Each structure stands twice: as structure tokens, then as C-alpha cells.
Amino acid sequence: MLSFQTTFLQHPWLYLWLGEKVGMEGIRAICSSGHREFGIKTITPCNIQWGCGIALFGRLFLIDSGLIGPNDYIDNLRIIYSFWRTLFEGYMRQGKPAVMDSGYVLQVLDQDVIEGLVKDVEPLDDPELRAKVGQFNSLAQLMGFLDHYDCRLGLGDTGPYEVGDKLILVRDCFVNEKAFPWTFVVGDLPFSYSLVLTYDKKKMMRDRKSGKLKMFSIYNTGTLFCDPPDYEDQALLDVAIYMRDEDFPNGKSTRIPLSELDIHIQKLEGAVERMYRYLAMKPKFDKILEGNWVYVAASLPYVRAHDLEAEAISMGFWDMDLRSMEYLLKGYAKAGEVQRAATAGLGAPPPQLPGFRCRGTKLGRYEINR
């Protein structure tokens, strides 16, 4: 709640300042790097779609806790919505504002980039190698969660993309955000690991027709929902794994041969253990403040895309407004009640369920597939 309130109260100035620096076309171009590169935060929906969404949640929390009225901070609201809409015009390949509008498919990377990535995948016919890739996949996602205080800003899937008889997901795990003060705990992990995962399209079509596969959808958080839950492994054919040392516009993605996975698994296991110890020893209030930084950092990709991170920090990007701390102290006692009320009031559609198909957020209706 603290971070959401902080973003709503403080980041409208950031959006205005960024607009003055790069113009409207510059804001639209923020996500252009995500069409050509992966392992960067301008491709992940949590950082793009929810960077501004966090601010809107903050307004809900402030209103439902009685700290502001519905007519307060209207200028902040206008700025947030204007920035968000402009940003989205350059994000999804389909030009849609949300994955619900495109059949729960999140295609961001250009098709020629995907076709190039598929050329580098390695088959998983060997059961031992498949198990090792599964272990790496689990550890990389876990570390992305832990480094971002157990939230989805640390990872995200895009896709499914299509190349021939294969469906492709690109999964980015941000295991070492070097802007966070606890980066020293993580050690020498790269900024991100990425997995290019290919699936048997014909098998998935057969299983969908027979009813064995009920759902394989990407939600707005960049989360893959499968029914049955273990279906991803059943249809998995090949994989390529990459690492990147720095976020865009710096660094580049380097492929890791699967024969060299052992050393990266060892590094991840060590980092996960250190991060658990670090979190366990932290006082509760310190965790609140550090968790606040994680969500505030959702706006980092906006300034990084134009190499303005250092300038934004010098202007107070990480600073906490006194109003935010005041509202934290006043609203902390009823945080659980406020959060439930605010979330219930969103009215967001659910993930695509078996037998239902979203007809778009503009219509707000669902139809039953017979």
C-alpha cells in the first residue's frame, strides 16, 4: 500500500518531466526496445502495464482508507492516464491495451526476432537434461520473485508466438536488479536470465480438441496459466537460455549452452539461500520500506529507455514524500480491510476460463463457447 500511494502522489511529476524531455513520440518509443530485445524490463507487462497501474491502485487505497476524497488529486489522475495511454500505443504488437483484448496472447517481440531465437534452441530428449532445465527454470523464477520482494515485477512471459509447428514463450527472470540496495546479497548473478521455450503446437491442438488441455493463456501480469497445471512440461520440446548483465540500453543477451547450466544452477541456489537469510533477519518495518522501493522501481524502465535514470534519481526518484509516510501511519491499522475493498472495486475480468471467451474490456461482456 505504501508504494502504491507513493507512486500515485509522487510520480506524476516524473511522467511530466519525461514528456518534456523526450516528447510524446519518445514516450511511445519507450517500449520499442521490447520489440527487438528480451531480458529487459521494457518487454515485461508488469513493468509496463503496471508501472502506471500501481499508481491507480494507490489512489484506490487512499480513497478507501478515507485519507483523500474522490475529487482530490484529479490532476495526478489525468497525468497518469495520459502517460499510460501514450505508453501503450507503442507496446503490444497487436496495438491492444490489454491481453484480454487479444485472446490472452501477449506478443511483443517482432516475428523475425522470434524466428531467429528458434534457430538456437536445443532439444530436451534426454530426461536428465530436461530435469536440469526444469530445475534451472524453477530457481530463476524463484530468484526473480525474491529479488523483487515476492512480486511479479521480477519476471514475465510473453507469447505464445508461432513458428511453423511450434508455439514459443519467452520467459524473462530479473534475478539481480542492481538499483536495489540488497544487490550485494545476490552476488555475481547477471541482471536477468531468459528462457526461450518451444512447445508442440499439434499436440496442444489435439489436446485442446479432446479436452485434455483446458487453458494455456497469458494474463496481464505476464503470467502463464495452464490447465492442467503441469501441462507446460508435457508439451515442451526445446529450450535456449540466455543471460544479460545490464538492463536496456546497456548490455546484451548472451546464450548459455545447456551443457554449462550446472554453474548457473549453483549460483542461483547460493543466491536464493542468501536472500532468504537476508529477508529473515530484517525487521518488519525495514521490509515495508524495501518493498516500497520495489514497486516504486516499476517506473525505472520508463527513464532507463532514454538513458535518464541517473538524472531522475538526482531529482528525487527514490525519495519518499512526507505525505506517503503520514498516510502509511494513519492507514496501517486497517490495511487488510482497505486492500480487500480496493481490489474488489476494480471490476477486472478474470483469466480466460474453460468455455468462456472475453469480448474485450470495452464491451465488458463474455460469451459462452458451445
Side-chain angles (χ1 to χ4, degrees):
M1 287 177 62
L2 173 62
S3 58
F4 290 17
Q5 295 169 10
T6 298
T7 307
F8 175 73
L9 293 169
Q10 294 175 228
H11 277 197
W13 72 262
L14 175 75
Y15 306 150
L16 284 176
W17 169 76
L18 189 58
E20 292 172 355
K21 296 285 285 189
V22 304
M24 298 297 282
E25 287 305 315
I27 294 174
R28 292 187 183 95
I30 284 174
C31 300
S32 61
S33 55
H35 296 304
R36 307 300 304 174
E37 299 187 47
F38 55 95
I40 59 178
K41 288 193 170 181
T42 48
I43 191 177
T44 55
C46 259
N47 283 277
I48 298 305
Q49 295 188 339
W50 289 107
C52 296
I54 284 169
L56 300 180
F57 262 113
R59 179 175 181 270
L60 285 172
F61 292 151
L62 289 166
I63 292 174
D64 286 338
S65 59
L67 298 172
I68 69 171
N71 295 322
D72 296 334
Y73 297 98
I74 295 299
D75 285 343
N76 286 31
L77 197 59
R78 290 194 185 101
I79 293 166
I80 292 165
Y81 268 119
S82 297
F83 181 86
W84 205 5
R85 180 173 180 175
T86 307
L87 184 74
F88 265 77
E89 290 174 0
Y91 181 49
M92 288 180 65
R93 188 201 290 178
Q94 302 95 329
K96 303 289 186 179
V99 296
M100 292 94 79
D101 299 305
S102 56
Y104 289 90
V105 173
L106 180 64
Q107 295 181 343
V108 182
L109 286 163
D110 290 339
Q111 185 65 19
D112 66 303
V113 175
I114 293 297
E115 291 172 0
L117 291 175
V118 171
K119 296 176 182 178
D120 290 332
V121 296
E122 300 180 53
L124 295 177
D125 300 327
D126 180 6
E128 185 176 339
L129 179 59
R130 177 178 284 265
K132 185 179 296 185
V133 169
Q135 182 184 11
F136 175 87
N137 180 32
S138 300
L139 283 167
Q141 291 189 73
L142 175 59
M143 190 63 230
F145 266 115
L146 288 176
D147 192 49
H148 290 72
Y149 263 68
D150 203 26
C151 82
R152 293 205 62 83
L153 289 169
L155 63 160
D157 294 350
T158 65
Y161 307 94
E162 292 188 51
V163 176
D165 290 333
K166 295 179 179 179
L167 293 181
I168 296 92
L169 289 183
V170 178
R171 174 167 297 150
D172 296 310
C173 305
F174 303 103
V175 295
N176 187 4
E177 172 51 76
K178 298 174 184 178
F180 295 153
W182 51 91
T183 183
F184 73 93
V185 180
V186 178
D188 61 349
L189 289 182
F191 171 73
S192 66
Y193 285 114
S194 298
L195 296 90
V196 178
L197 305 152
T198 75
Y199 303 92
D200 187 337
K201 179 180 173 182
K202 290 184 176 180
K203 171 181 168 55
M204 295 175 72
M205 292 174 67
R206 291 194 303 269
D207 290 345
R208 179 65 172 170
K209 187 175 182 179
S210 69
K212 180 180 179 181
L213 173 60
K214 298 178 177 63
M215 178 166 56
F216 194 89
S217 304
I218 301 289
Y219 197 46
N220 266 357
T221 55
T223 308
L224 173 65
F225 284 91
C226 287
D227 188 1
D230 62 346
Y231 187 84
E232 182 181 357
D233 185 61
Q234 296 178 31
L236 183 62
L237 294 174
D238 320 287
V239 67
I241 297 176
Y242 298 80
M243 63 180 181
R244 188 181 180 108
D245 286 333
E246 296 184 69
D247 199 2
F248 182 85
N250 301 306
K252 64 178 182 178
S253 295
T254 304
R255 189 169 70 88
I256 303 171
L258 298 188
S259 60
E260 298 177 9
L261 267 191
D262 285 335
I263 184 64
H264 295 278
I265 289 173
Q266 292 172 13
K267 287 183 178 181
L268 283 165
E269 287 177 331
V272 165
E273 182 178 357
R274 291 192 301 272
M275 197 66 192
Y276 270 124
R277 291 179 180 275
Y278 174 81
L279 294 172
M281 64 176 279
K282 278 280 176 181
K284 185 175 183 179
F285 193 72
D286 287 7
K287 292 178 184 176
I288 292 173
L289 293 180
E290 291 188 353
N292 168 74
W293 287 333
V294 168
Y295 281 103
V296 169
S299 294
L300 270 179
Y302 307 155
V303 293
R304 278 180 177 165
H306 292 286
D307 208 14
L308 294 170
E309 180 179 359
E311 190 172 347
I313 290 172
S314 70
M315 295 176 61
F317 180 90
W318 296 107
D319 295 346
M320 183 182 295
D321 192 294
L322 289 177
R323 294 170 299 177
S324 301
M325 184 58 72
E326 179 186 2
Y327 291 158
L328 167 68
L329 298 175
K330 289 181 178 178
Y332 183 77
K334 49 184 177 180
E337 175 188 342
V338 168
Q339 188 171 4
R340 284 194 299 272
T343 304
L346 284 175
Q352 184 174 333
L353 299 175
F356 288 81
R357 189 169 191 81
C358 182
R359 294 183 63 183
T361 53
K362 185 176 180 180
L363 296 173
R365 299 199 301 270
Y366 295 83
E367 60 184 2
I368 299 177
N369 293 335
R370 301 291 184 183

